[in-house]
Amino acid sequence: MLPYPRDWVEFQGSPPPRSGKRPYVSVNPRGIIVLNRCAFGMLGEPVAVALLFDFHRFTIGIRPAALIMPNAFPVSQRGNSTYVIQAKSFVDFNYIKPSGTFRFLDPNMENDVLVLDIAHVARTTQTPRLGWRKKKSPPETGSVPS
């Protein structure tokens, strides 16, 4: 018997999704939206998307679009199963300011739009990168000028 009661605190995060079986979508402070193959497939594997924002429900929408449209954001593939949307202008315009990389916990489709609820996110385990640092070169050995 313990002399004091336990003070449990429930972990508020969630486990990462299992491989490609569930959709994974994240956004980072640089405005890069990342989708896994499952989420990209839900959209119909488009070459470009239109980005939507609902101010009242604080949600992002991603809808397939033709690349020739003036508001279309190209989707580029990174690796075998990751797709990237460079959305810095969209994120800045809508005052979305993630302090790190956040993943959306329940991305789902509604009328051909992938809906991402900003109020329902979890921080990824990756720590935010603060920038690349140059490695210091070792001091040169040799004669010292007199």
Side-chain angles (χ1 to χ4, degrees):
M1 181 94 175
L2 293 173
Y4 52 89
R6 296 193 187 274
D7 189 17
W8 297 112
V9 176
E10 186 173 347
F11 176 61
Q12 296 301 313
S14 64
R18 295 184 185 139
S19 58
K21 298 189 190 319
R22 294 189 320 188
Y24 174 92
V25 182
S26 67
V27 63
N28 68 23
R30 295 177 306 202
I32 299 172
I33 298 173
V34 175
L35 300 95
N36 70 352
R37 186 179 297 159
C38 180
F40 185 64
M42 288 169 63
L43 284 168
E45 301 183 2
V47 294
V49 294
L51 298 175
L52 316 166
F53 191 70
D54 182 345
F55 286 96
H56 300 290
R57 292 182 179 85
F58 211 45
T59 54
I60 296 172
I62 302 176
R63 180 177 58 207
L67 193 55
I68 61 171
M69 300 300 290
N71 60 341
F73 287 80
V75 179
S76 57
Q77 186 171 2
R78 184 184 291 167
N80 289 335
S81 60
T82 305
Y83 300 87
V84 175
I85 303 164
Q86 301 286 341
K88 178 79 169 139
S89 58
F90 170 80
V91 169
D92 289 346
F93 181 80
N94 291 298
Y95 302 103
I96 302 167
K97 307 253 184 226
S99 58
T101 303
F102 287 93
R103 66 184 176 89
F104 298 92
L105 294 176
D106 189 25
N108 58 58
M109 292 296 291
E110 291 179 10
N111 301 325
D112 297 328
V113 175
L114 182 61
V115 178
L116 310 171
D117 186 357
I118 295 174
H120 200 157
V121 296
R123 187 177 185 103
T124 61
T125 55
Q126 177 182 348
T127 57
R129 293 181 183 168
L130 300 176
W132 297 101
R133 295 186 183 104
K134 282 187 168 182
K135 290 183 180 178
K136 292 183 180 179
S137 57
E140 292 183 23
T141 58
S143 62
V144 176
S146 49

